[in-house]
């Protein structure tokens, strides 16, 4: 499987594949909207490029800092990889109560479908760490027949 790329995807333009996905953990809501980037993809070389926009909303009563990320990516053939790293797109943002942090990134897959899911490690002002769920989201070509991966 190709390596996950954590850098922001400039001017993400593509086709929304299946709407937005969201999950809330301890007052922190994570919403993800995936896009298929057909202009960047090379299906004849088994390279399908997906971008995704993430919004992290702090619905809690205290600031949190996004310290680490974890991704579990599974392609259409069931092959999976896991990725861990500090922050997102080179940042470890502090998200104040009522605020939303947004970023975009991308992921190449060797198949025309897949699933991504994961979590963020967040730190409270007292130094305690808690995990926030990144909802599983489907990466399927816009005109593909939908099936569970």
């Amino acid at each position: 499987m190709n390596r996950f790329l954590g850098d922001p995807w400039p001017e993400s333009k593509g086709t929304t594949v299946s709407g937005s996905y969201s999950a809330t953990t301890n007052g922190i809501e994570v919403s993800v909207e995936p896009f298929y980037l057909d202009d960047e993809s090379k299906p004849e070389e088994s390279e399908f490029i997906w971008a995704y926009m993430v919004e992290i909303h702090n619905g809690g009563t205290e600031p949190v800092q996004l310290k680490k990320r974890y991704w579990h990516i599974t392609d259409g053939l069931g092959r999976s990889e896991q990725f861990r790293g500090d922050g997102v797109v080179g940042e470890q943002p502090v998200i104040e109560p009522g605020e939303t942090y947004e970023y975009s990134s991308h992921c190449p897959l060797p198949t025309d479908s897949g699933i991504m899911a994961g979590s963020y490690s967040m730190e409270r002002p007292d130094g305690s760490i808690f995990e926030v769920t990144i909802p599983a989201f489907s990466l399927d070509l816009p005109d593909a027949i939908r099936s569970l991966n």
Side-chain angles (χ1 to χ4, degrees), residues 28 56 64-66 120-124 128-130 132:
I28 308 299
I56 305 168
V64 295
Q65 184 174 18
L66 193 160
Y120 298 120
S121 295
M122 298 285 195
E123 184 176 6
R124 296 181 179 99
S128 63
I129 303 288
F130 66 101
V132 171

Side-chain angles (χ1 to χ4, degrees), residues 106-117:
H106 67 288
C107 176
L109 284 180
T111 61
D112 63 0
S113 65
I115 294 176
M116 291 180 67

Side-chain angles (χ1 to χ4, degrees), residues 36 38-48 109-110 112:
Y36 175 64
D38 52 353
D39 290 346
E40 304 296 328
S41 298
K42 299 174 187 163
E44 67 282 356
E45 297 175 24
S46 296
E47 186 172 293
F48 300 85
L109 284 180
D112 63 0

Side-chain angles (χ1 to χ4, degrees), residues 44-113:
E44 67 282 356
E45 297 175 24
S46 296
E47 186 172 293
F48 300 85
I49 307 297
W50 302 91
Y52 51 92
M53 301 290 291
V54 178
E55 289 186 358
I56 305 168
H57 177 75
N58 183 352
T61 59
E62 59 186 358
V64 295
Q65 184 174 18
L66 193 160
K67 300 296 278 187
K68 297 187 179 291
R69 72 181 180 282
Y70 163 76
W71 285 107
H72 184 185
I73 304 169
T74 305
D75 72 16
L77 297 176
R79 298 173 294 198
S80 67
E81 287 196 75
Q82 298 179 40
F83 300 92
R84 298 177 192 279
D86 292 334
V88 291
V89 295
E91 298 180 357
Q92 291 183 319
V94 173
I95 309 167
E96 297 290 335
E99 289 188 353
T100 299
Y101 175 80
E102 300 177 358
Y103 74 95
S104 64
S105 193
H106 67 288
C107 176
L109 284 180
T111 61
D112 63 0
S113 65

